[in-house]
Every structure is written in structure tokens, then in C-alpha cells.
Amino acid sequence: MLLLLVFLAFAAHQSSVSADYKLPKTKYPGLTLGEARCPESVSYNEFWFLVPYYNDAPFCFIRKTLPAKLRTIKDVEAVCREVDETAFPARLFYDLKLSYINSLSLTENAMIGAYFIDNINGIISSDEAVIFVHNSQVIATNIETFSADPTGKGILCMMPAYPRFMHSYHIKPINHQPNLAEYECEGNGWDLQASCGGTPFCYKTIDYSGIFLNFQTMLTEFNVCGMKEPNSFVASVHYPGLSLAEARCPESASDEDFWFLVPVYNNTPVCFIRRSLPANLRTFKDVEVACREKHEKAFPARLYRDQKLKYLRYGVPAVSIDLTENAIIGAFFKDDLTLEETEFYDINSSDRYAIYLSRDRAYAINVTEFSANPKGKHILCMMPPYPRVTDSYYRKNVPSRPNLTEYTCEGDGWDLQSFCDGKPYCYKRLNKFKAPLPYEFYTEFNACGIEEPNSFLASIHCQDEYGYLRFKYAGQYQIGLYLPHRGPWNRFNSWQWADGTPADWIPWHRGEPQKCHSWDEKTVYVEDNYDFIDYNIVNTNRAMPAICKKPAVKKQLPLDIKRYSTFELNWKKCRSEPVTHWNHQCPTNSSLWQIVQSEAGVHCYALVDTPMQLELDNFTHELCHDLHPNAKLASFHYDSQFGFLYPENAYLDKIIVGLVPNNQTFIWADGTPVNKSFWAQSEPPVNSSNLVVKITNARGGLPQYPGCGDRFYNRPLFKTMKIEDVKADMKIACKIEAEPLLSCAPVPDANGMESLNNTFCPDGWVKQRFCDKVSCYKRIHVESIFQNFSQAVERDYCHILDPESYLASIHCVEEHFFVQSYPAQTLIGLHIPTKFYNDTFNVKNFEWTDGTPVDFVGWNRFSNPETNDYQYAPLFPRESSENIKFSQVYNKIHDTKSGWSNQFYAFQHVLCKMRATVIKKV
């Protein structure tokens, strides 16, 4: 189907399209349609479609419903970005490939961004005229007129597709084909071929009739190939070779039952969950449905007579329940899956009968009779686990080991090694900390980096590294795995490494993490004969040594420096870097926002008052617009996004979220998908009309562990309430995406030619290498006559004493933690100049006295609050006359807190910084 160009008299068109609006290019050159994927669908009636675009490059297209009363093309672009931040109005071209898009009815009455006759010439949408497609014709019309009646109209959005597996795309080796004459297949009827990676494999089709007739929809999970042909799998098995430490199970905050990760047959990791038996089941299909209620991939357990089952029969660990006792399962195997024997032992559940375990014996029972009285009975379900970090699973290559003689460790007492990724690292046991015990979050706030510059509490990513640490450092010690203390406890979802590396390898001790007491256990230690164990450093009063880890450095120049991808903005070269709370900020004109980093990125949350009479008609994003025009009713998708509630404040159980009724269910008002795992028990109701949703402090139970005390914990979950019951003291949660500190962060000028060995600092100064540069630091007492903002900060007391030095500026996380090692209430160079004192207080006005860009911030956002009413830095004055009191910044306000503070205190010391001098060779 071909599209025809029709230009109305007022259409603003151009024959040659600007460089910014040429045909979009894929971000992944050479990506094929078979390697590509699109995001998941955003609603039940709007789907992404993967389409071969210009020159067969794969792109994703979606048709969005046209909102009413759009005014400019920017409004159209914003609709596309609501679906995905990289989406934009579609740019179509005169090519038969688009017949596929037309056949999907995506283009009819749909706005687009541009239409190309070729790679250069075409027309684009503008504020004056927007392009839409009707009856296979491209028409230009007025945007306000077109959107006045949006019925049956849409916006066609597009975005570049991305690889199904990032590692497979970046590492597409062309391997030499093996000599197949040197290989053979075991068994008859196999076809020997070389796979894509050059590895020889055998292929065969089988007839699986008669095997597990009740489970034909689950042939892959049950591996019918392995039952017919030993050592084989259904093609493309889930995650072959996945180890227990790399695996994880699902986790639903609203589910009182917990998944357990267990090694079973041949040490294969499997997820098990025991759920209560529903009453009045009729067939085994009902048992299967009951398992799928726990997870769409779950099915009745298939067990083996194997010693590994002690994890299920005798506890996890020593749990006072037996996961297998009085439980229906799907199959029980005596040995290695010999079909005749399994049939003989009645291992298969049929339509009327199921396998039932009691006292380590398997029985066949009638499903209807057994479920007539379900009290004390259960169903044991299982499912395949999945990788903790999918990208790490597909990147398990065997790296070449570096020549360690070319590297060294900066500082004394470090041990140089190389393990998982082939990079050299330095390890050291730290027995004592400068930070006192009340500094309870010393994993999250990196006590290692405070004591030993450039280091973090150790992350561990493979068995070789773990085995070395267990051998080298005997006894009990803490490592860098932790849960953010501002967020709920959980078993799988939010554990992370202090150094920011992916949590892709976690060998929990059997049954861990298990939160043995009612307080939160959010740090991890390792002990002789035990794997990873979670604990609470404060309530257990167990300060212990820690293992620190940092990158090694080359002995010879140039040193390795951090490399950035770049982009251009307004003819300036800018660096791209990962999105973190260190380089992003909330809207700078309000103290109400709290920044939260999660798997979804960095967002800001705030609470606003409810209107006098809350109704569904006024429960819209406009309630948040007084905070910021782009703020929306808040959505939540990850545990860590609830962090803005911690520590618990007076509004807990009084916060309304952005879930709105829609066709007897709830959807997020911002259009993002609903995560069902955050509903409280028995929520949501079938009828959603006239209801809103609040956050409630729900009490969750845990499996009983002997000697572990109270087995419960509180966490935020969603609960519905009638909209007319909303009280005046309740709050509405708003959300906005955090913005970068700088639209164009400059590319550092480091060249790797500075090291601790070829530079020097004046006497009394501390020399350190951070951010790929060597600097000198010194804490100086300020004379009393200079202990005021004008003399000490704005004139820069350090620069007065030495023209080469300035109050310290901070530009990377390693430097930040080093500065935290200095005593509290030490002034650094961040400040708001006096020229802004008559303006409304605004965080964007902070500057460094040395003139360097504010490309990093280390505010106290995550330790104990700054004030008794749970305020975090930066603090705002109540009125502009107090601006000066909040315009200077300390490294921290107290030794029991971590992060910068602008809370006003009298100061006596400043931290000075200068570039180290490079020693020139004669």
C-alpha cells in the first residue's frame, strides 16, 4: 500500500529536511530483526511492533491514543516519551516495507513526525502544521484542530529496537567451523551440525505422545527430550549452566508464601513454594492452576529421591515446617527418569489423581476427596529460576588473565589478585574503623572508602574470587552486599553491592536471607563454614572486620583512565554516564522532593495536600502541577522506590498513590504498567469503581525458624479505600523524573600521566588520586576574624592563604567518601553566592569556589535525617532573609551521618584542595 502526499494550503513543508530530522539511525549498527526486541506492551490495547525500517534496520512502532487539545508538536513528542523516553513521533518514508505497518492499521488517522520521499527530501510536523495519515494519504493540518476531537485518532510513535541480549550483540564472533568428521552423536537418528558459535551440536525430533499428557503446555519445563533421549534438552532451554549463586526466584511483597531456591537433581537450581491447598478441587488441572496463581511459570513440583531434597524435607535451614509434608506434587522419580519405572511407580498425576507426600513416602490420592478437607494440606509448586542479572549470565566468558607484574596497589597492606572479569584488584582486611558503631549504615556509606581511599567493601562475582577470600581471610568479616536502609526488607529484589557492580553472584547460606528477628537485617557477613548471612549491625551490636577492594593501577604510565562515550550539544562535547543519584537532582526550587534511585532510574517523590473534596474527576496529574508542570501522580514499580517513606513518618498509611479505576481494575495514571506484587492481602476488590488506593503499613509473616524470635516485618503495600472516606490530613504522592545536574557534563581532561609516584604536594598536605587526577588536601583552622561566610567561603579562605588552592570541590564518588573521613562540620567549596540572596532559594544556584562544574553531588539523602521532622539535605530556609544560613556546605553535619549538609552551624575548619605538581624528568 502506497502513501500519497497531499499538501493543504496552509501546510508548512520543506523540500530539504534539516539534519536534526533526517531518517533516524539505529543505536546498534548491524542489528538484525531476529536479534532485536521492543519494550513490553504498555496496556491491554497498545502494543509495540517490531518492523524492518529503512535499509531493513529494526525499529519499534506503537500507536498511541490521541489526547485531546494538543497545542504544539512538543505535546505530541511528550505523548511518545510517556511510552518510552527514547520514543518520538514516527518518521515514515516512501517504501513498500511500510505496507506491514499499514496492514496493522497503525497509520490510519495517526499523527506522525515526518514523511520522507527519500533520505533527504520530505516534510516534517511543526507547531503550525502537523502531518497525519488518512486513507493512505499524508495530509498536513492544524494541530489544535486535529486534536479537538480525538475520537478514532492516534499518534504513531517509534523508537530504535535494542538487542534481545546485549552481550550477544556486542560479542558476535566469527568462529572457525569445526571439523565435524572429528565428532559424532551418541545414539541413533541424530543430525550433527555446527551451531552459530562454532560449537558442534546434535539435533533430533521426537514423538512425545504418551508422556505427561496433562502437561503438554509445559514440555520445555519438564524437558521431554531428556526423558526420551539422555543428555538432551528441548531446544533453547531456559538458562543452561545457571549456578545456585547466579540464580534467583520471584518475589511478591503481597504474597505471604515465600519462594525457596534449592539445588536439586545434578545441583540444578530450582525455585519451590508451598501454598495452602484450596478447597473443593476437582481435577489435577485445578492443582496446576493453583500453582500458576503463584507465578505464570509455576507448576506442581516434580521431585527426585535424592539427598539434595533435605533442603525441602528438613528445613531451610531447620525451618519448623517441612515443605513436602502433606503436600500434593506433580511427580516423584525413583531414579534417572526411566520412563517404564516412573510409570510403574505412579509418579504422574492424572485428571482425578495426584501424588501426595507424607513422611517421605509418595501416595496416589483422589484430588476431590483430598481437597474436601484442606486444613493443614498444601501444594508444593516449582519453577525454573532466572539469573540475578541476565546480562552477566550471558557474559560468562573466560577472560585472559592480566600480567600482574605490570600492576601495583596504591597504599600498604594490599593483596593483588585477578579473578572473575580478568581485571586486577587489590584486597585488604580492615579491622578497625574511624566511624563509630552508631554509623550504622557503613556498608551503604562505604566505610572502606573513608578509611582506604578509592576502595569499597568487597563485591564478589564468581567462585574463584569467593574461594580466595575464604582461604585468605579466615574468621568473620563483612562484605559489600546490602539493602538500602531507606526501603523495605526483601529476599531477592533489592540487594546490591556497595561499589555499584551488578549483584549477579550471591551464594547465600542455606535459608538466607531470612531476617531472623523483627528488626531489619540489611548487611551481610561471611564466616568460616558459612556462606552469606544477613544481619543488623546496630541491634546485634556486632561490629566486625570488613574486606575492602579497589582496582589495581599500572606501574608504568599512562595509567588506565575512565573512558566516556560522548555526544554533542550546542557544539560542545559532552560525556554520557550512568544515571545515578550522584549526578541527578530533583526540581531545585522546592524542599518537598526526595530523590530515589531504583532499577527504573532516578526519580523524585513528594507529597501534596488533598483537595477539599477529592473526586475521581479532580484526581488527576494537575494536583501535582503546583510542584512542577511535569509532575504526575506517583507510580511505584520496585521496592526501593518506597524509600522516600523511610524512616517512617506521620503520613504513613495516609498517602494516596496514582492508581486509578479502569474497567474493574486499576491502572497507573502515568501509563506505566502495574506491578501486581504490591497489593495487600485480598486486594484489589473486583469492583474498583469510586475507589482510590493508599499506602498501608502492612505486616508480613515469615516462615518460622527456631530461636529466631518474632517472625514478622512491616512493609508498605497498597490498599483500596472509598474516595469519600479520604480525610483532609491525607496526602497525595507525586513523582517526576530526576534531571541531570548538567545538560552537558564536560569530558574530563585527565590523560593518565599523573600518578602518586610522579607528583608531589607541599608539606602537611595529603596526596590522593581521584577522578583520574592527583590532588592535595589539607584541613585548615580558620582564624576567628575570618569565620564568616564572606571571608571564609565567598572570598575562599584557602585561596587567600595559597593562591594555588581553593576550598575543596568534589567530582566523583571515591573522592566524596574520602572527604567524609574528615571531621564533621568541615567546610567545602560548594556555596550560593551572595548575588542570589534576594532571590527565592534555589539549589541550582550552588557553585564551587574554584569554578569547576557541579557535576557531582553528595548531599545527605540516605543516612539519618538532618532534622527531627525527617528533613534531608539540602535544607531550605523558611524565608529569604535566612538564605545566608543555608548557603554554605559542610562535608557532613555529624559523624553519625553521611553526606553533605547545608544546615547552619558555626564553623572553624575548611578543607583545602590543590592540583599536585607533576615531577618533570631531567
Side-chain angles (χ1 to χ4, degrees), residues 879-893:
E879 54 189 44
S880 59
S881 62
E882 296 181 332
N883 280 0
I884 190 171
K885 292 184 178 181
F886 296 86
S887 295
Q888 74 286 310
V889 177
Y890 306 97
N891 65 332
K892 57 187 173 184
I893 202 63

Side-chain angles (χ1 to χ4, degrees), residues 689-709:
S689 60
N690 212 38
L691 297 177
V692 292
V693 179
K694 69 174 183 177
I695 299 176
T696 185
N697 193 22
R699 179 166 170 164
L702 290 170
Q704 292 297 311
Y705 291 72
C708 272

Side-chain angles (χ1 to χ4, degrees), residues 6-173:
V6 177
F7 300 101
L8 299 186
F10 59 83
H13 65 279
Q14 51 190 72
S15 60
S16 182
V17 178
S18 66
D20 290 339
Y21 236 88
K22 287 185 178 181
L23 288 173
K25 296 181 180 179
T26 177
K27 292 183 178 180
Y28 302 99
L31 185 71
T32 66
L33 204 65
E35 298 170 308
R37 62 160 293 179
C38 295
E40 294 291 340
S41 301
V42 296
S43 70
Y44 70 96
N45 63 350
E46 294 177 342
F47 297 91
W48 284 102
F49 292 92
L50 184 63
V51 177
Y53 192 60
Y54 191 75
N55 289 335
D56 285 336
F59 273 76
C60 302
F61 287 83
I62 190 171
R63 180 189 173 99
K64 289 290 296 177
T65 301
L66 179 70
K69 300 179 180 179
L70 300 182
R71 301 183 62 185
T72 69
I73 189 63
K74 294 292 186 184
D75 298 331
V76 181
E77 295 171 346
V79 172
C80 289
R81 285 197 300 271
E82 288 178 358
V83 191
D84 190 280
E85 61 182 5
T86 63
F88 50 88
R91 306 172 191 176
L92 305 185
F93 60 95
Y94 192 77
D95 188 283
L96 289 178
K97 295 280 185 183
L98 288 176
S99 61
Y100 180 68
I101 298 180
N102 298 334
S103 69
L104 297 169
S105 301
L106 296 179
T107 59
E108 182 61 21
N109 281 340
M111 284 188 185
I112 60 175
Y115 184 80
F116 296 90
I117 299 174
D118 51 37
N119 197 22
I120 298 178
N121 299 299
I123 59 174
I124 64 173
S125 291
S126 66
D127 289 348
E128 293 77 22
V130 67
I131 307 167
F132 77 101
V133 181
H134 178 65
N135 291 334
S136 302
Q137 296 179 342
V138 178
I139 303 173
T141 185
N142 179 274
I143 191 169
E144 293 189 52
T145 304
F146 187 73
S147 62
D149 179 13
T151 305
K153 300 175 183 176
I155 300 174
L156 184 61
C157 305
M158 67 183 294
M159 63 175 283
Y162 53 94
R164 292 182 177 275
F165 300 110
M166 199 66 66
H167 178 68
S168 299
Y169 168 76
H170 286 295
I171 303 179
K172 289 196 288 187

Side-chain angles (χ1 to χ4, degrees), residues 326-386:
N326 287 339
I328 289 179
I329 63 173
F332 189 78
F333 296 92
K334 178 184 178 183
D335 53 25
D336 289 356
L337 312 180
T338 305
L339 186 59
E340 292 78 10
E341 290 189 4
T342 56
E343 287 176 342
F344 179 78
Y345 281 93
D346 281 326
I347 61 97
N348 279 319
S349 295
S350 67
D351 284 346
R352 291 179 300 163
Y353 289 89
I355 305 302
Y356 161 66
L357 293 180
S358 179
R359 298 180 181 179
D360 295 338
R361 296 191 63 184
Y363 302 88
I365 50 93
N366 183 280
V367 172
T368 304
E369 295 175 359
F370 188 72
S371 63
N373 179 18
K375 184 177 181 180
K377 301 173 183 176
H378 305 87
I379 301 173
L380 184 61
C381 307
M382 67 185 291
M383 65 170 285
Y386 49 97

Side-chain angles (χ1 to χ4, degrees), residues 409-473:
C409 296
E410 294 176 332
D412 299 326
W414 292 89
D415 185 30
L416 176 63
Q417 298 290 337
S418 176
F419 296 109
C420 316
D421 58 3
K423 297 179 182 178
Y425 288 95
C426 304
Y427 301 84
K428 183 177 183 179
R429 182 184 178 115
L430 195 61
N431 292 314
K432 293 183 179 180
F433 295 91
K434 295 176 185 176
L437 183 61
Y439 200 98
E440 54 232 63
F441 316 115
Y442 70 70
T443 305
E444 190 164 7
F445 300 112
N446 190 23
C448 281
I450 293 175
E451 307 285 335
E452 296 284 350
N454 286 304
S455 73
F456 292 84
L457 277 85
S459 61
I460 303 173
H461 296 281
C462 64
Q463 183 62 49
D464 287 348
E465 187 174 25
Y466 185 42
Y468 159 77
L469 293 178
R470 297 295 298 270
F471 172 78
K472 176 74 175 181
Y473 305 106

Side-chain angles (χ1 to χ4, degrees), residues 9 90 119 129 202 215 298 303 473 477 510 524 554 588 700 798 819 865 869:
N119 197 22
C202 302
F215 304 94
L303 305 183
Y473 305 106
Y477 50 84
R510 200 176 86 178
V524 173
K554 286 183 176 179
T588 58
C798 297
V819 171
D869 57 350

